[in-house]
């Protein structure tokens, strides 16, 4: 105890001797914290984007020239206290970063830590979450994506949203002819077939033997019915399983594939599992086989270089094209990406381990390490923004039906998610690419 008292006494004496340094450190810490947590002024009133949905909600928050917090935006949207002024066109959040204060605070750090911790353990739990996600969102995705539920980004050659279905048909033809160069002599592996529409189309129109991996029983039922309707049974083989473990999904003794397709598969694989996933795909392919990836990534120069401007079709009346462009490196851009990522994991796709935490350069590097040579890269970011805008319009059109089947909270979460996604693509906060690689 004497030693303890002497230690405390010595520390007190030391603090008295260096009181100026201690005081300066405290002042610097408090000043730095106040500067980091300061509230920014919005260049225009938040009420131009967000409107109170109830008469009892304090509307001053959305008419003042002060940014609102990201957490309050999410809470108010999910509880119906505010609505997007222009949710149907998908342009409602084009300038959301100007009125919402995205900061990487302790609350977000806590949530992200446990979200990533849950994603890092228990693949069986991820699989069950995936099953519940598909079952719970099946009718919603049919309304938003269309009856085919194609995971492709529409080919918007003329930038007209009305051409989504035609754009999807053009994109499917490009995948088959320009990228994979399919023929009847090929053997195709669709790693993430989802509902099987694209796999059935390729097998039927090009008479190519196809093995498609679907994740859930509901997806398998839809794909099986579609195969019967198109009379492509002799070309199709579906297997159910977790495509993050391809070896376990493929039947024993299956021949190597000459072509492989993986659309948005990395969104469930996650950054830490990308090397292992690509190696497993490589082992299932013949030498010289082609692999086509559709990936969503984050700009590698986040916070350093200005991002390209994406011209959007049918911009809102009060949203100029110059205002839609956003400079990478603006306040809160990095934090907004994490807020979006956390919201997606929490409310939209539990169990996902999204590849949006990696850049396109990192994906291409991992492809080379896994034994592939990248021969073509195509940006789909602008097309993805317009495709998401159409999804927003379809979601709003089916609002009553979705609320009756899945609940009001589900509709609100998806409305915020699709509008936010469209805005992220429009401001190039996230990117979408086709990557064509050949096994060396």
């Amino acid at each position: 105890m004497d030693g303890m008292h002497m230690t405390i006494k010595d520390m007190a004496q030391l603090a008295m001797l260096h009181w100026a340094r201690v005081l300066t450190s405290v002042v610097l810490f408090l000043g730095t914290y106040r500067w980091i947590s300061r509230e920014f002024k919005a260049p225009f009133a938040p009420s131009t984007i967000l409107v109170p949905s109830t008469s009892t909600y304090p509307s001053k928050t959305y008419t003042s020239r002060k940014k609102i917090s990201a957490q309050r935006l999410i809470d108010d949207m999910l509880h119906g206290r505010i609505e997007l002024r222009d949710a149907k066109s998908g342009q409602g959040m084009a300038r959301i970063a100007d009125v919402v204060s995205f900061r990487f605070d302790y609350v977000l750090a806590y949530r992200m830590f446990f979200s990533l911790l849950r994603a890092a353990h228990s693949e069986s739990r991820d699989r069950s979450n995936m099953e519940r996600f598909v079952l719970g969102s099946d009718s919603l995705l049919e309304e938003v994506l269309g009856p085919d539920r194609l995971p492709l980004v529409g080919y918007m050659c003329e930038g007209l949203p009305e051409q989504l279905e035609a754009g999807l048909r053009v994109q499917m033809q490009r995948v088959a002819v320009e990228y994979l160069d399919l023929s009847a002599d090929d053997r195709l592996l669709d790693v993430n077939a989802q509902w099987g529409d694209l796999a059935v189309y390729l097998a039927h129109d090009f008479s190519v033997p196809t093995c498609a991996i679907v994740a859930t029983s509901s997806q398998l039922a839809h794909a099986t019915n579609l195969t019967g309707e198109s009379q492509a049974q002799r070309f199709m083989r579906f297997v159910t399983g977790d495509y993050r473990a391809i070896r376990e999904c493929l039947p024993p003794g299956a021949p190597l594939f000459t072509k492989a397709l993986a659309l948005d598969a990395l969104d469930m694989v996650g950054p830490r599992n990308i090397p292992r996933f690509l190696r497993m795909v490589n082992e299932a392919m013949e030498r010289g086989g082609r692999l086509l990836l559709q990936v969503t990534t984050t700009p590698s120069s986040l916070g350093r270089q200005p991002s390209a401007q994406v011209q959007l079709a049918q911009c809102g009346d009060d949203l100029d094209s110059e205002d839609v462009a956003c400079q990478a490196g603006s306040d809160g851009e990095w934090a907004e990406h994490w807020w979006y990522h956390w919201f997606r994991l929490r409310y939209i796709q539990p169990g996902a381990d999204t590849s949006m935490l990696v850049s396109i350069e990192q994906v291409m590097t991992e492809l080379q390490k896994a034994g592939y040579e990248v021969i073509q890269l195509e940006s789909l970011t602008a097309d993805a923004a317009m495709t998401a805008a159409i999804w927003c319009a379809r979601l709003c059109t089916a609002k009553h039906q979705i609320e009756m089947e899945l609940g009001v909270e589900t509709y609100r979460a998806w409305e915020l998610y699709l509008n936010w996604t469209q805005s992220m693509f429009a401001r190039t906060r996230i990117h979408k690419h086709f990557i064509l690689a050949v096994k060396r």
Side-chain angles (χ1 to χ4, degrees), residues 154-196:
Y155 185 67
M156 304 294 185
C157 52
E158 298 180 5
L160 297 177
E162 295 81 8
Q163 296 182 349
L164 177 59
E165 305 304 329
L168 290 174
R169 288 192 294 270
V170 173
Q171 200 74 292
M172 289 191 293
Q173 187 73 15
R174 294 179 69 233
V175 167
V177 178
E178 297 181 20
Y179 284 99
L180 295 179
D181 189 23
L182 288 177
S183 66
D185 298 328
D186 286 320
R187 292 181 300 276
L188 175 64
L189 172 64
D190 192 343
V191 177
N192 183 25
Q194 299 189 26
W195 282 269

Side-chain angles (χ1 to χ4, degrees), residues 180-191 198-213 227 232-238 250 254-261 284:
L180 295 179
D181 189 23
L182 288 177
S183 66
D185 298 328
D186 286 320
R187 292 181 300 276
L188 175 64
L189 172 64
D190 192 343
V191 177
L198 180 59
V200 172
Y201 163 79
L202 297 176
H204 177 268
D205 285 28
F206 296 89
S207 302
V208 55
T210 303
C211 180
I213 302 176
T227 303
Q233 296 94 329
R234 62 193 181 99
F235 299 112
M236 287 300 308
R237 180 171 186 174
F238 290 102
L250 298 179
L256 297 179
F257 297 91
T258 59
K259 307 291 171 61
L261 180 66

Side-chain angles (χ1 to χ4, degrees), residues 15 34 65 116 134 144-145 202 227 242 277 296 328 331 376:
R34 183 176 180 82
R65 301 183 64 85
L116 296 177
V134 172
V144 174
L145 304 181
L202 297 176
T227 303
D242 190 344
F277 172 78
T296 306
D331 292 331
Q376 189 171 347

Side-chain angles (χ1 to χ4, degrees), residues 28-87:
L28 288 176
F29 173 79
L30 294 177
T32 303
Y33 176 79
R34 183 176 180 82
W35 182 82
I36 294 175
S37 60
R38 70 191 186 282
E39 293 290 347
F40 296 96
K41 297 294 184 180
F44 52 88
S47 58
T48 59
I49 297 178
L50 308 167
V51 292
S53 59
T54 61
S55 58
T56 59
Y57 190 77
S59 59
K60 292 183 179 179
T61 306
Y62 299 97
T63 57
S64 63
R65 301 183 64 85
K66 177 182 176 181
K67 288 188 176 183
I68 63 175
S69 65
Q71 184 59 61
R72 183 164 190 178
L73 167 72
I74 295 174
D75 290 341
D76 290 348
M77 282 290 297
L78 295 182
H79 290 87
R81 291 190 286 264
I82 58 173
E83 296 176 352
L84 293 175
R85 184 180 293 276
D86 189 18

